[in-house]
Amino acid sequence: MKRAFDPLRLDVEAACRAGATLEGEWPLADLARLMASSHPESPPAPGAAAAWSVRAERRADAAGSAQCWLHLRASASLALVCQRCLGPVEAELEAERSFLFVHGEEQAEALDAEIEDDVLALTRSLDLRELVEDELLLALPLVPRHDRCPQPLVPPPDPEGFEEERPNPFAALRGLRRRAPE
């Protein structure tokens, strides 16, 4: 019988031993940190969700020791704030990452500095929803913008009561200097 794993409290080591595969969707409304990055006037459609899948595996390293790996894929579509026109711009977020899990924070920190793979400390209760949200946040574009904004950009209006440009006080001194006898 195949064991069911809870994605909100995943026992990573047990999932790796079982070679578990999990997948699903979480409503975007449940991903508060991700929603904070969205356009305030363009909420996601009802039922909009972040799709995800995780594959856990046990793999032997060069020394023959078993390593615990999670391979994550996640995607979502979200309206962000265009940095040119400030209107909503649709962004397709895609994340794909593999994580090596090791025993203890010290070992994770040491290995993370040595290898290119992402290294995390092994836990008996990993919240996959939080991990998926983290990866989607990292997938956000640095400067979201339309290729071509739907509305032409309008320069800001001149402020009312704008006074004529005052003469530079040093210009008056320059005039006095020219009149002075040599």
Side-chain angles (χ1 to χ4, degrees):
M1 181 174 149
K2 200 169 192 178
R3 179 177 171 188
F5 290 94
D6 181 0
L8 300 178
R9 290 187 306 270
L10 180 66
D11 182 343
V12 176
E13 194 167 27
C16 288
R17 275 195 309 269
T21 300
L22 294 91
E23 59 184 22
E25 291 185 343
W26 280 305
L28 288 178
D30 290 353
L31 305 176
R33 293 178 298 142
L34 186 61
M35 291 307 302
S37 299
S38 69
H39 193 283
E41 296 171 9
S42 293
W52 59 273
S53 67
V54 169
R55 183 175 53 86
E57 74 169 326
R58 232 170 141 83
R59 186 188 316 167
D61 65 4
S65 300
Q67 293 180 323
C68 190
W69 287 85
L70 280 185
H71 307 285
L72 169 75
R73 283 180 166 224
S75 63
S77 181
L78 191 64
L80 303 174
V81 178
C82 173
Q83 297 301 301
R84 283 189 194 136
C85 69
L86 303 180
V89 59
E90 279 297 315
E92 296 298 323
L93 308 178
E94 298 281 334
E96 186 171 347
R97 187 144 321 175
S98 294
F99 300 93
L100 169 62
F101 283 85
V102 296
H103 293 281
E105 291 289 336
E106 296 82 24
Q107 187 180 5
E109 191 175 315
L111 267 177
D112 197 34
E114 293 176 20
I115 63 175
E116 289 184 28
D117 296 310
D118 292 307
V119 182
L120 298 175
L122 194 60
T123 178
R124 295 186 61 78
S125 183
L126 176 69
D127 185 346
L128 279 180
R129 180 172 45 198
E130 205 170 282
L131 184 62
V132 165
E133 186 174 21
D134 288 345
E135 293 307 314
L136 290 174
L137 283 167
L138 290 171
L140 287 170
L142 290 176
V143 182
R145 62 180 184 237
H146 297 100
D147 290 332
R148 185 173 172 96
C149 291
Q151 300 295 324
L153 300 179
V154 180
D158 288 336
E160 285 191 38
F162 182 76
E163 297 179 18
E164 289 288 323
E165 196 172 311
R166 293 184 192 180
N168 185 337
F170 295 106
L173 289 174
R174 191 177 311 121
L176 290 174
R177 186 172 171 215
R178 287 184 190 147
R179 283 189 242 156
E182 291 185 29

